[in-house]
């Protein structure tokens, strides 16, 4: 693995580009920063990660998956706070107009300072103290640092503008008039909040339930960098778990309670301690993690990361410090993974309390609430309007309906005031420029006692949110290997469920006698839906193996001269161990189906079949 | 089915909305036209259609699936022609500014005229002749119709503006400076063209091969309408089959050659004939379909539509008339399906010749070409520059490299002219404001003969393009049913592979004794990845069945009192036939896995198990 083997990151990146896992978009036109296209290999890996995600989260917990619009009208992001607060600070080179992300520019500058030898220890300590805070600074603090350290535009040494708040959302007008302001969503979450009522109804009014969404989001990053880590368009997968705030226990918590996980709490961070290995139920008991449901998701996230092949020793959960957490959140943990860029956030998991629904209630005037059964029925006072519709009809004839509508739409307070006035005298009201005289015979308002069995509340939301590109890149780094016997031979050992193609089909040579077997085997694989690549090019078999290894194909079927005779058999080779076994063609479906769905391991299967070794050494030598 | 049963479309639409298959986006804020959110049922159906699409097209034909950026810089759509031509004509109400799509407004007006009784037969014939042409008219022709028929703004009767060409792409600037103009892609195709070189390399330089992409595209429709049929954001799936234009045979054509398909050729349309049932190989032989590869895709499309449950008697392939086809296309067929809106286009399949790659070659100056082996090597003349680099180094010292670069970058023509001049006298050239004297000792240009084994060519592209929303809506309409015994009970009979959930799990009542069995069965289903919904609410079983039927769950497992005793069995019910069988719990995995993957049919399975009838009549009566 990368860390242990001390490999240059460019080795991986070259391979990823050369074999088109993914690459910069539109590069025939010079490319666009922060946009990537996934080639056949990356696209398949991404699809497999998402498919496992669906199974691990959605199917396992019966979540309600939905698929909402990317184009979003402005009001939604006014409600969510994105219009006001989804900004990064930008600095402009005052001569050239080049833009920089303020925190990154200052961090880079200070990090370079640290490397200078003749800087005092005192200064170094100060810089080290400042560095972790820069990401959360406001414009004034950032400007002060720029002045204090005399920071200039890095390429020109020109002066920099003051920090400017730059909203990261892409905007585009919707419709032909250009009047409706729209944005590309910067997260999928809002689609789930605005559909809360429909989802609650689909779930027959019952809480808790989780909505989930997989989709593309967009952020107009000031300066995209670090490959897939900071991009302008990306796949994400999000869960919104709606729960009664008075009960955040989780019925399946016991299934993860015993997991021991690296937790890097806010207290650890303040005290300069490192992360600690803690059992999840201890963490809940010690109130390190706010509640069971949040802890349940941390456990499920941990299991997911391991299942897709991320190294469990390079995962930690870092708690947000109070200054980086939104004011409404009651707890937030990031799943961070260690890669060549350092510890990077791959997944966030926040208890956002009832903030999101409350905001949409405020802006939409809809009742986005759930009901809870009261153990003891409650007496409450409610105002009730009484309209004498018959008399209204007789008095106002064809205008009756607008008068009724007017009276019914009065707020509780307006109705009370009108009622009180009517006790003194009749009242004149104006609707659509017409006047109507209302009397106490027509309208009354009374406060009555009512017994209620249920009460309404705004659900809390616990939100795990996954950046798929980051997870995929981390997974690739953690599984990158180089053969000890030949440092030109690089490969990835992905779990079979994640591997882009499950097997390769390789005739030993271009001898035409092999063709019917290529066809037979590919027909069999197609039938049962196992993805594969045929490489029948004239290259030496060793070279073709190497090519399959590079794109992380875990198993290779070789058709050789023994295949031609009865009983027809093939050689099955495993990528990492290089071990080979001979399997009858009739049995490869059984073998590959079980291997590719991870029902059995290679070790288990390979014990059942004769090992094939004679040609292996020869082949390895053949590698070009 | 809808047509036969003569059902009101609103019946289906109400059900689709009520059970949240899909619904208008952002409706808590009043909604946005042309944007839809897919709820749990619609989202699962869409995912299943796409999963089957992947298997039917990508896996079966070893296509290279890629996943490209939605955000696209302007130059790409300059090259593709979208900037100039991706427009609809719009009319504005000159008082209110309300916008209308010109062709739709005129069509609606003329269709209403047809319904008026006192219009002359002559006039009717004229209108009927005009109607099918309106979609392809230019601004002048549209304006003429508006004047001729005195067409006004429909809601206000105000005058209308002249037709204005409105570009349907959403635009948004990319990056913080606002300098880079970007668009949301209106199709996924361009991503495959701009990646052609990488894909060809991935395929080891060999043609033919197909790229495929599933993704979201955006069109800023002037007036979205007809539910999922005309929307502003939609999923599409596209294939670009790159092929040598000199050989459009297809190695797998024989697998579809015998299919009999309704073809509605351009000639049929001109002659006012109806579509004809023709075998695909006859259609190719008769040159009705331009080539084998195009016909192969028509056959594959037909098989796909049937597999996902579309009625084969309501599919036809309509050929584009010469006036609706792009000038570069050599043939184009739309797969049309008959639904309550009439015959609608679900899939287009065009032979676009080499247009797209040629355009990107022109705009990007990259060689997006393939090579073909020549059967007889060819002699060609090529110009060759010869530079005396040693002498250049001695003469120009530190400036040598810019001189070499300058000379190497000369075009063939420039090099020839320079060479000829140098035969007369030395030449002075200026680079970066410096002058250099070039002599014939330094630079020569000669035309030499070369033998080539391969020649380059621009591949042709055959492009099947699928609108997933339209296909899904069509499939739902074709499978909508109402129980003959109760017209309140509506349901959809989807193929199990497409069904949103494969089975329901229903305890007969809320008796606690059933709980362990609910858990056991749901654990089993989760383990093997079969999607399911539990309905353990207190509603009568009949009502719960009806609810599962509405969301197209093909199979229901009922846990009843017999389940409690040894051997533990459940009742398995099939949605359409209402037939029920008793199955041991141990065997339901086997049964459901085979049913849900369509390896066996319900008829086959139900013969193997005892029929369960006693309670059924009682239950049906129970329906509320």
């Amino acid at each position: 693995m990368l860390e242990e083997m001390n490999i240059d990151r460019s080795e991986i990146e070259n391979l990823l580009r050369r074999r088109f896992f993914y690459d910069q978009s539109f590069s025939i036109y010079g490319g666009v920063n922060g946009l990537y296209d996934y080639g056949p290999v990356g696209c398949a890996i991404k699809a497999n990660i998402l498919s496992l995600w669906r199974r691990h989260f959605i199917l396992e917990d019966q979540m309600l998956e939905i698929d909402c619009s990317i184009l979003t009208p402005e009001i939604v992001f006014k409600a969510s706070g994105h219009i006001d607060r989804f900004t990064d600070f930008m600095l402009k080179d005052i001569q050239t107009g080049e833009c920089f992300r303020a925190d990154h520019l200052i961090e880079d500058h200070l990090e370079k300072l640290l490397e200078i030898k003749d800087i005092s220890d005192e200064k170094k300590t100060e810089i080290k103290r400042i560095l972790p805070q820069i990401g959360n600074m406001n414009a004034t603090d950032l400007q002060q640092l720029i002045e204090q350290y005399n920071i200039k535009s890095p390429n020109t040494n020109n002066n920099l503008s003051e920090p400017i708040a730059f909203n990261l959302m892409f905007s585009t007008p919707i419709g032909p008039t250009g009047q409706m302001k729209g944005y590309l969503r910067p997260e999928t979450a809002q689609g789930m909040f605005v559909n809360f009522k429909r989802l609650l109804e689909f779930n027959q009014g019952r809480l808790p339930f989780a909505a989930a969404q997989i989709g593309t989001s967009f952020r107009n990053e000031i300066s995209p960098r670090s490959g897939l880590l900071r991009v302008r368009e990306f796949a994400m997968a999000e869960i919104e778990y709606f729960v009664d705030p008075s009960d955040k226990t989780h019925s399946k918590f016991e299934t993860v309670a015993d997991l021991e996980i690296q937790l890097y709490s806010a207290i650890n961070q303040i005290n300069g301690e490192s992360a600690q290995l803690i059992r999840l139920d201890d963490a809940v008991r010690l109130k390190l993690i706010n509640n069971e449901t949040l802890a349940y998701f941390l456990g499920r996230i941990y299991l997911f990361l391991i299942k897709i092949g991320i190294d469990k020793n390079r995962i930690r959960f870092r708690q947000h410090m109070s200054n980086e957490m939104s004011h409404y959140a009651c707890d937030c943990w990031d799943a961070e993974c260690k890669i060549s860029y350092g510890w990077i956030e791959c997944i966030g998991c926040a208890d956002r309390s009832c903030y999101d629904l409350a905001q949409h209630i405020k802006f939409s005037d809809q009742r986005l609430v759930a009901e809870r059964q009261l153990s003891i029925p409650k007496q409450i006072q409610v105002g009730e309007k009484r309209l004498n519709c018959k008399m209204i009809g007789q008095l106002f004839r064809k205008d009756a309906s607008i008068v009724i509508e007017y009276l019914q739409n009065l707020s509780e307070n307006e109705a009370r005031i009108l009622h009180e006035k009517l006790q003194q005298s009749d009242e004149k009201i104006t609707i659509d420029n017409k006047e109507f005289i209302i009397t106490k015979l027509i309208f009354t308002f009374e406060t009555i006692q009512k017994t209620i069995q249920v009460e309404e509340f705004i659900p809390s939301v616990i939100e795990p949110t996954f950046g798929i590109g980051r997870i995929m890149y981390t997974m690739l780094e953690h599984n990158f290997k180089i053969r000890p016997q030949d440092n030109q031979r690089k490969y990835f050992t992905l779990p079979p469920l994640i591997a882009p193609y499950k097997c390769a089909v390789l005739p030993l040579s271009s001898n035409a006698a092999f063709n019917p077997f290529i066809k037979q085997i590919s027909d069999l694989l197609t039938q049962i839906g196992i993805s594969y690549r045929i490489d029948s090019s004239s290259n030496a078999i060793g070279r073709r193996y190497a090519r399959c290894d590079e794109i992380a194909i875990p198993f290779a079927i070789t058709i050789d001269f023994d295949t031609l005779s009865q009983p027809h058999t093939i050689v099955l080779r495993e990528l990492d161990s290089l071990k080979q076994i001979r399997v009858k063609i009739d049995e490869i479906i059984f073998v590959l189906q079980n291997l590719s769905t991870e029902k059995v391991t290679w070790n288990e299967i390979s014990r059942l079949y004769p090992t094939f070794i004679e040609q292996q050494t020869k082949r390895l030598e053949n590698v070009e």
Side-chain angles (χ1 to χ4, degrees), chain A:
Chain A
M1 292 176 217
L2 192 68
E3 199 182 36
E4 285 79 351
M5 297 181 77
N6 221 348
I7 292 163
D8 195 318
R9 185 195 304 140
S10 63
E11 297 252 23
I12 303 179
E13 288 181 343
N14 286 340
L15 175 53
L16 295 175
R17 191 174 313 118
R18 185 161 52 80
R19 300 308 309 276
F20 197 12
F21 282 60
Y22 59 87
D23 206 344
Q24 193 176 34
S25 303
F26 312 111
S27 56
I28 66 168
Y29 290 107
V32 178
N33 284 338
L35 296 182
Y36 287 88
D37 289 345
Y38 287 71
V41 182
C43 182
I45 292 173
K46 184 172 149 190
N48 292 338
I49 290 174
L50 290 175
S51 158
L52 203 71
W53 193 90
R54 272 204 176 91
R55 208 162 148 172
H56 183 83
F57 290 102
I58 295 180
L59 182 64
E60 179 76 36
D61 280 331
Q62 294 279 300
M63 294 177 180
L64 305 181
E65 185 179 356
I66 64 173
D67 183 4
C68 305
S69 294
I70 289 170
L71 286 170
T72 306
E74 185 173 37
I75 182 137
V76 173
F77 295 123
K78 276 196 177 141
S80 68
H82 284 86
I83 297 281
D84 291 337
R85 289 187 304 272
F86 196 63
T87 53
D88 277 340
F89 288 107
M90 173 166 83
L91 301 170
K92 278 195 181 181
D93 181 313
I94 55 161
Q95 304 280 342
T96 66
E98 195 181 356
C99 300
F100 304 94
R101 196 170 134 171
D103 53 354
H104 289 173
L105 184 72
I106 298 171
E107 279 163 9
D108 290 349
H109 183 89
L110 295 186
E111 270 159 13
K112 263 183 217 136
L113 274 187
L114 277 184
E115 284 163 24
I116 296 171
K117 279 186 189 145
D118 61 359
I119 201 171
S120 71
D121 281 354
E122 210 169 291
K123 200 85 195 156
K124 278 190 183 169
T125 313
E126 190 195 303
I127 290 175
K128 279 183 187 158
R129 187 186 55 76
I130 295 169
L131 267 172
Q133 298 175 31
I134 296 173
N136 299 312
M137 281 185 180
N138 62 26
T140 318
D141 294 345
L142 290 170
Q143 179 61 23
Q144 204 184 322
L145 283 180
I146 290 166
E147 287 164 15
Q148 187 185 338
Y149 287 93
N150 193 27
I151 300 174
K152 303 285 181 182
S153 180
N155 303 322
T156 62
N157 217 31
N158 292 332
N159 282 333
L160 292 162
S161 69
E162 294 208 344
I164 306 157
F166 176 74
N167 195 300
L168 300 183
M169 288 194 294
F170 287 97
S171 75
T172 187
I174 302 173
T177 63
Q179 302 297 305
M180 186 189 281
K181 202 164 183 181
Y183 292 91
L184 306 187
R185 67 179 176 202
E187 57 171 35
T188 68
Q190 300 307 321
M192 293 182 269
F193 299 135
V194 300
N195 279 299
F196 172 73
K197 267 300 207 194
R198 291 168 176 160
L199 291 168
L200 182 66
E201 197 185 320
F202 189 84
N203 208 45
Q204 300 172 28
R206 288 181 299 187
L207 282 193
F209 73 86
Q213 184 168 197
I214 295 170
T216 309
S217 295
F218 299 81
R219 296 182 184 178
N220 197 6
E221 293 287 347
I222 294 167
S223 49
R225 61 180 190 178
S226 313
L228 293 188
L229 302 190
R230 188 167 300 284
V231 293
R232 289 182 167 145
E233 177 177 337
F234 52 97
M236 63 196 306
E238 292 191 291
I239 294 166
E240 307 296 335
Y241 185 83
F242 296 101
V243 60
D244 185 335
S246 68
D247 178 11
K248 291 183 183 171
T249 58
H250 196 287
S251 62
K252 288 170 74 181
F253 179 64
E254 60 181 36
T255 62
V256 299
D258 291 334
L259 285 176
E260 277 199 325
I261 293 186
Q262 289 285 351
L263 294 183
Y264 189 33
S265 70
I267 296 168
N268 293 152
Q269 294 164 64
I270 290 165
N271 296 348
E273 301 158 354
S274 50
Q276 287 176 292
L277 203 60
I278 301 182
R279 284 177 65 247
L280 275 178
D281 65 349
D282 288 338
V284 173
R285 205 170 31 78
L286 296 167
K287 301 239 174 269
L288 202 59
I289 299 173
N290 185 280
N291 59 69
E292 257 189 17
T293 298
L294 194 55
Y296 173 73
F297 280 110
L298 299 190
R300 295 292 300 163
I301 289 166
Y302 178 76
L303 292 173
F304 173 73
L305 290 176
I306 290 170
K307 211 184 259 184
I308 62 166
I310 285 178
D311 177 13
K312 71 173 178 174
N313 297 315
R314 286 182 273 173
I315 303 171
R316 73 177 183 197
F317 287 84
R318 189 182 72 79
Q319 190 173 35
H320 278 206
M321 315 276 282
S322 54
N323 70 339
E324 56 182 317
M325 202 153 58
S326 320
H327 64 276
Y328 47 81
C330 60
D331 198 5
C332 183
W333 294 79
D334 289 341
E336 296 185 329
C337 297
K338 181 100 185 273
I339 56 171
S340 58
Y341 291 97
W343 285 99
I344 59 147
E345 176 198 347
C346 285
I347 299 158
C349 192
D351 184 333
R352 301 174 56 84
S353 73
C354 67
Y355 175 76
D356 307 280
L357 290 177
Q359 285 293 105
H360 285 296
I361 291 169
K362 199 168 125 192
F363 279 77
S364 72
D365 212 19
Q366 304 278 319
R367 289 165 66 226
L368 309 180
V369 293
E371 284 180 349
R372 79 164 70 88
Q373 207 69 32
L374 289 170
S375 47
I376 305 156
K378 236 190 208 166
Q379 302 291 323
I380 57 160
Q381 313 280 324
V382 284
E384 205 171 78
K385 297 172 206 160
R386 296 216 177 120
L387 277 66
N388 187 334
C389 292
K390 197 179 160 191
M391 191 180 288
I392 295 174
Q394 289 165 347
L395 283 171
F396 306 127
R397 308 254 159 207
K398 69 175 179 31
D399 290 329
S401 63
I402 61 165
V403 174
I404 291 174
E405 197 191 332
Y406 173 92
L407 293 172
Q408 270 168 348
N409 282 341
L410 291 177
S411 73
E412 197 151 308
N413 203 33
E414 290 163 343
R416 182 174 297 115
I417 292 168
L418 179 62
H419 172 86
E420 280 160 15
K421 286 184 180 165
L422 292 178
Q423 305 316 307
Q424 312 303 324
S425 65
D426 297 349
E427 276 290 312
K428 201 190 295 173
I429 61 168
T430 311
I431 313 171
D432 295 348
N433 295 322
K434 285 187 189 168
E435 292 190 341
F436 302 94
I437 306 293
I438 308 295
T439 70
K440 62 181 169 187
L441 296 176
I442 288 178
F443 181 82
T444 57
F445 179 81
E446 281 172 49
T447 302
I448 56 167
Q449 273 230 336
K450 224 175 164 178
T451 308
I452 52 162
Q453 311 285 341
V454 293
E455 67 179 350
E456 287 183 344
F457 65 95
I458 305 176
S460 269
V461 163
I462 288 166
E463 178 187 83
T465 171
F466 298 67
I468 302 302
R470 289 178 166 212
I471 291 172
M472 174 169 149
Y473 179 76
T474 299
M475 189 272 295
L476 288 170
E477 255 204 20
H478 283 196
N479 290 281
F480 180 72
K481 292 188 183 172
I482 297 183
R483 299 245 182 255
Q485 60 272 49
D486 180 355
N487 68 9
Q488 287 309 298
R489 295 197 57 180
K490 303 171 182 92
Y491 63 106
F492 297 96
T493 51
L494 309 189
L497 277 172
I498 299 299
Y501 302 98
K502 305 313 172 194
C503 80
V505 178
L506 313 169
L508 190 62
S509 71
S510 52
N511 193 311
F514 297 145
N515 292 346
F517 294 96
I518 300 178
K519 178 157 174 22
Q520 185 193 353
I521 291 166
S522 52
D523 285 351
L524 284 171
L525 295 170
T526 303
Q527 238 169 58
I528 54 158
I530 289 184
S531 58
Y532 60 98
R533 286 293 292 167
I534 301 171
D535 188 346
S536 56
S537 67
S538 57
N539 296 114
I541 188 79
R543 173 133 183 220
R544 283 181 286 148
Y545 279 141
R547 213 144 56 189
C548 297
D549 295 352
E550 283 184 342
I551 58 172
I553 304 182
F555 308 107
I557 291 172
T558 308
I559 299 161
D560 61 10
F561 289 100
D562 288 347
T563 307
L564 305 181
S565 47
Q566 293 274 4
H568 302 303
T569 58
I570 52 84
V571 177
L572 188 68
R573 165 190 183 268
E574 197 265 342
L575 164 66
D576 196 29
S577 64
L578 293 178
K579 200 176 160 188
Q580 303 187 94
I581 57 176
R582 264 212 106 85
V583 180
K584 282 186 199 156
I585 286 187
D586 303 340
E587 293 173 26
I588 58 171
I589 289 309
F590 167 80
V591 169
L592 277 174
Q593 204 158 30
N594 281 296
L595 282 173
S596 65
T597 54
E598 299 184 17
K599 276 182 197 129
V600 298
T601 63
W602 171 256
N603 278 339
E604 287 161 351
I605 275 285
S606 61
R607 276 198 298 269
L608 305 179
Y609 291 91
T611 305
F612 177 74
I613 33 170
E614 56 206 289
Q615 286 168 286
Q616 189 181 353
T617 20
K618 214 164 64 198
R619 277 178 197 160
L620 269 175
E621 287 160 10
N622 262 339
V623 176
E624 286 153 58

